[in-house]
Amino acid sequence: MHHPVCFRFYANSAVLAAQQSLRSLLSAVSASGTTTPGDTLAGYAVLPSPELRVAALRLMRALAQLDWGAVHLARCEAVLEYLIHTGSVTLSPDELREKHALAGALVDSPLVIEAVGAGSAVMRHMRGYVTAGPFANLPRSEPKVMEPMTL
């Protein structure tokens, strides 16, 4: 049985035929062997370039409509961090709506709830954000320690 959000896509032969292309596109997103494609997309979603932010948001939102894409995004730490915090770049109203729609799609997926944990802090924060709406004030993200650099 497929998730209701995804069911309409399984009946669409064009979307079914595009599944392999979508998977190939996602695997090509990350140039690093240590960074997941979803985490790379989340990184693009916080860049100063609005064109890259919008493209990354739209691709993540499209992936969230598919069972395998939603699960992939839910397993990406940077995606979850992006959804529950405000970044250093100010998003446009349309970008805020895209971000909110992405969070809504993930929160509605039983597979995501299973992957993240129904009672987890991340799921509680995402549900709160979805309930509060796209213009909700989210906490600022905490600074992270960078990995050691190799020269």
Side-chain angles (χ1 to χ4, degrees):
M1 181 169 157
H2 296 290
H3 179 273
V5 170
C6 302
F7 185 74
R8 67 180 180 266
F9 296 114
Y10 289 102
N12 184 327
S13 61
V15 172
L16 277 175
Q19 293 287 325
Q20 187 56 44
S21 296
L22 289 170
R23 289 179 190 267
S24 295
L25 175 63
L26 185 63
S27 66
V29 166
S30 183
S32 166
T34 59
T35 304
T36 66
D39 286 334
T40 300
L41 286 172
Y44 290 147
V46 297
L47 291 175
S49 168
E51 293 82 10
L52 285 174
R53 286 196 313 265
V54 168
L57 275 166
R58 287 183 180 162
L59 182 53
M60 285 191 291
R61 186 172 173 209
L63 288 168
Q65 301 301 309
L66 303 167
D67 290 334
W68 61 267
V71 170
H72 172 79
L73 293 173
R75 291 182 176 152
C76 296
E77 185 178 337
V79 172
L80 299 176
E81 178 76 17
Y82 170 74
L83 291 174
I84 63 175
H85 291 103
T86 296
S88 58
V89 174
T90 302
L91 302 179
S92 72
D94 287 340
E95 290 170 325
L96 289 170
R97 287 183 192 97
E98 286 282 339
K99 179 179 175 177
H100 185 261
L102 171 59
L106 294 179
V107 165
D108 287 342
S109 169
L111 295 173
V112 169
I113 293 169
E114 182 181 317
V116 175
S120 70
V122 168
M123 190 56 72
R124 281 194 314 274
H125 287 292
M126 281 201 311
R127 281 190 188 116
Y129 170 46
V130 170
T131 301
F135 305 108
N137 287 324
L138 298 174
R140 282 229 171 275
S141 58
E142 298 292 321
K144 300 213 183 310
V145 177
M146 298 292 290
E147 292 182 21
M149 292 179 62
T150 330
L151 300 175

